[in-house]
Amino acid sequence: MKKIDLSKYNAEGATEAAIPDFSGFSAEDKKRLLFAGIDVNNPSDSGAFMHLNHSGVHCKTHREGLEIMDIKTALKEFDGLPEYYWQLVDKDKDEFTKAAHDHLHGGYFIRAKAGTKITEPVQSCLFIDKAGITQNVHNIVVVEEGAELHIISGCATAHDAKESAHLGISEFYVHKGGKLTFTMIHNWSDDTAVRPRSAGVLEEDAVFLSNYVLLKPVKDLQMYPKITLKGENSVARFNSVIVAPEGSYIDCGNRIEMQAPNTRAEIIARTLTTGGTIINRGYIGADAVPARGHLECKGLILGGGRIHAIPELDTDQDGVELSHEAAVGKIAQEEIEYLMARGLDEDEATSTIVRGFLNVNMEGLPQELQDAIEQQIDELDAGDAM
């Protein structure tokens, strides 16, 4: 993991004024937010949250049974959230968790109460529009018994926010029979350092679906979220699509620990480099039977760069089924020739293969956000991939 000198970033700053909605941003920043999954022109019918620089500036909920609060407000209202706050992530894990603990700027507390079904995704946005700052946030998501919740979390920098850092702590709690779909879309800049630290726990019959999309440059990103399946019949799935242009360094992956019978785990990662470095980690471990897990790491190299895939399967139990597929390489010439024989030129053939490889049809994405992702892939086809 690369070192980051946190002392070079400003962790103190003025409180940002609250905003009634997201309409006041410039056209360029609106586009950057859209490419991070936040459609400012079509706010969610369920609720929305925004943290800007060092302050929470927008927090609304429109559904009964859904709580959305700034984490600082929740800590005061619920006596420090002793059941949830810093229970899954060790505050002393590294310098980044320590900084997030000692200099907390904000973050969100989102809870779907027992039996509540939130079908429209909640929009949450962590945005940086000042240069030279570090943003320290702590997010907690709770899905109570029998509830369902989908969150689209967009993390982005403004076009002129240079040399910034983001430290994000996230803790997920999915109780018995609950379902959480968490879609995170990053749109950083080529001089942003990013250190998320995330963990979650699932009870009996709970489901956790994670989608992660990174298609734009980032200076240095390192994350390795962990989900623990503690309840029987619980299920966790990670689906990631990652692109590393020249100058990007990405060390990421997912870890699932199956600690109860009849659990299922799946990690699917698609990585593509056009000059950057990607370290793609994946771990599935099982301590109880029966259990099933599948890990798939596939990487595509276009014109340069490096991909290092590190898949791990671990168990000492009979009756556990774990499998993995891993492949890293360039586009096979015969694939290009096959498409060229059907009327495409070489660039069109390459573009078609890249688009198929970066298939990001993820569960629950509104169509306008799916369109925005497709637009980014089109821009990649026209630029870095060619």
Side-chain angles (χ1 to χ4, degrees), residues 182-193:
F182 188 80
T183 298
M184 183 163 66
I185 304 176
H186 280 178
N187 188 15
W188 303 111
S189 64
D190 57 10
D191 52 12
T192 306

Side-chain angles (χ1 to χ4, degrees), residues 117-128:
K117 310 291 185 183
I118 306 299
T119 56
E120 177 83 9
V122 173
Q123 290 183 347
S124 69
C125 180
L126 307 172
F127 194 49
I128 298 174

Side-chain angles (χ1 to χ4, degrees), residues 7 66 79 110 182 228 234 253 301 372:
S7 66
L66 173 66
D79 300 319
I110 300 177
F182 188 80
T228 302
S234 54
I301 299 173

Side-chain angles (χ1 to χ4, degrees), residues 195-354:
R195 290 293 184 271
R197 298 290 183 263
S198 306
V201 62
L202 275 61
E203 294 183 356
E204 180 182 351
D205 296 317
V207 176
F208 177 80
L209 305 177
S210 170
N211 301 314
Y212 176 64
V213 179
L214 173 65
L215 300 177
K216 296 295 187 178
V218 62
K219 177 183 177 181
D220 183 355
L221 182 148
Q222 193 276 329
M223 65 179 188
Y224 191 47
K226 180 181 79 170
I227 294 295
T228 302
L229 305 181
K230 282 200 168 181
E232 188 169 358
N233 297 311
S234 54
V235 177
R237 294 191 180 98
F238 285 97
N239 181 18
S240 302
V241 176
I242 298 166
V243 174
E246 185 175 359
S248 293
Y249 182 90
I250 301 166
D251 183 342
C252 63
N254 308 109
R255 182 183 182 97
I256 303 176
E257 298 182 358
M258 297 185 285
Q259 298 182 357
N262 297 303
T263 51
R264 287 178 291 151
E266 184 177 67
I267 298 173
I268 305 293
R270 295 285 186 274
T271 60
L272 183 150
T273 176
T274 58
T277 296
I278 300 174
I279 301 173
N280 181 24
R281 307 175 189 272
Y283 174 95
I284 298 177
D287 296 324
V289 294
R292 288 188 296 159
H294 179 68
L295 172 60
E296 185 175 316
C297 308
K298 292 189 177 180
L300 190 61
I301 299 173
L302 287 179
R306 178 172 183 250
I307 297 176
H308 185 188
I310 310 175
E312 293 184 79
L313 303 176
D314 181 27
T315 188
D316 60 0
Q317 302 289 316
D318 291 332
V320 169
E321 297 179 27
L322 301 180
S323 61
H324 83 81
E325 299 177 45
V328 175
K330 297 185 177 182
I331 296 176
Q333 186 62 32
E334 56 265 28
E335 293 184 46
I336 296 176
E337 292 173 355
Y338 176 84
L339 293 174
M340 291 178 67
R342 279 150 181 78
L344 301 182
D345 63 28
E346 185 172 359
D347 285 352
E348 291 171 336
T350 302
S351 174
T352 299
I353 293 168
V354 169

